[in-house]
Amino acid sequence: MSEITEITSQKKGDRLNIFLDGEFAFGVEYTTAVKFGLKVGRSLSESDIAAIDEEEGNTAAFNRGLMYAVKKVVSERQMRDYLVRNGFTADAADAAIAKLKEYGYLGDAQFARSYIATYAKERGSKRIEFELKKAGVDAKIISEALDEVDDSDSCMKCIEKYVRTHKQVERQKLINYLVYRGYDWDDINDCISRSEL
């Protein structure tokens, strides 16, 4: 057991320095200090210190994840990969993800809807489905989100853009372009026929 002999504020940020038995031991957020009842005179066991360290890791992972989620809509897998890449443990990443979902900053269904709203005008359902699967979104969520997508309109817009940006339109190259964009063969045939190419 070690005794807290001093607690001081850090010069930058909302953190405290904790001294055990007269020596600096670790820094903590104010919220962690309150949660664990840290005050001068309190004794801490090794398990108490380990629990405080885990809480600090979870808080840091949540804060990093929150900053990332505010800037960019991401899937749960992308968030987990991001946090682990930035040095957080898998447990801290999972705790951060659970909290971000609870606060409404993260969720695969909202990610799928946002992704589709962004890319449905220039990509077909097949490509969107592939990209969402790659991002770790569940097949059921993808299927429900894609129910609203009409590839026919966006396929026609892709054809129009292709025709505008190419001096000479070769049918096979156009078909390859549309396949790459993720359009179904039936939509491609129908749209090319309607565009009279």
Side-chain angles (χ1 to χ4, degrees):
M1 295 288 270
S2 301
E3 184 179 327
I4 299 175
T5 52
E6 186 180 1
I7 299 176
T8 61
S9 295
Q10 291 184 357
K11 290 179 182 174
K12 294 181 181 179
D14 295 329
R15 294 181 60 79
L16 299 169
N17 294 318
I18 306 298
F19 293 82
L20 298 176
D21 301 326
E23 302 272 328
F24 172 77
F26 50 85
V28 296
E29 299 274 342
Y30 278 94
T31 54
T32 303
V34 170
K35 181 175 182 177
F36 286 90
L38 302 180
K39 57 187 175 183
V40 174
R42 172 146 186 238
S43 294
L44 298 176
S45 67
E46 289 298 320
S47 63
D48 292 333
I49 294 169
I52 291 167
D53 186 51
E54 180 181 344
E55 178 69 20
E56 280 294 294
N58 292 350
T59 301
F62 171 76
N63 289 338
R64 175 66 73 92
L66 181 60
M67 289 175 62
Y68 189 55
V70 168
K71 293 178 191 172
K72 182 178 182 181
V73 179
V74 294
S75 70
E76 293 171 33
R77 180 191 289 171
Q78 289 170 329
M79 179 62 76
R80 184 174 287 106
D81 291 347
Y82 171 79
L83 291 172
V84 170
R85 235 184 4 259
N86 280 277
F88 296 101
T89 65
D91 289 342
D94 289 340
I97 287 167
K99 202 170 182 181
L100 288 165
K101 285 173 69 174
E102 178 185 332
Y103 291 147
Y105 284 100
L106 187 66
D108 281 349
Q110 78 185 47
F111 170 72
R113 285 191 305 274
S114 175
Y115 193 90
I116 289 168
T118 302
Y119 294 109
K121 294 176 183 155
E122 60 189 47
R123 297 180 187 164
S125 294
K126 285 185 176 186
R127 180 154 176 198
I128 291 172
E129 179 181 9
F130 171 78
E131 290 168 349
L132 288 172
K133 280 182 183 175
K134 187 176 170 186
V137 179
D138 183 69
K140 184 179 179 188
I141 293 172
I142 294 170
S143 176
E144 289 172 2
L146 284 173
D147 281 345
E148 305 291 317
V149 176
D150 177 17
D151 278 350
S152 183
D153 285 343
S154 65
C155 185
M156 282 300 290
K157 287 179 182 168
C158 278
I159 290 172
E160 291 165 7
K161 181 179 178 183
Y162 188 89
V163 169
R164 271 194 324 272
T165 57
H166 291 75
K167 290 180 182 178
Q168 189 176 30
V169 177
E170 293 179 38
R171 186 178 175 90
Q172 190 56 50
K173 285 187 178 181
L174 174 59
I175 290 170
N176 292 344
Y177 171 77
L178 294 171
V179 168
Y180 170 75
R181 289 299 215 183
Y183 293 102
D184 184 88
W185 182 246
D186 291 336
D187 284 324
I188 292 171
N189 268 336
D190 179 53
C191 291
I192 287 177
S193 296
R194 283 192 291 150
S195 62
E196 299 174 358
L197 292 175

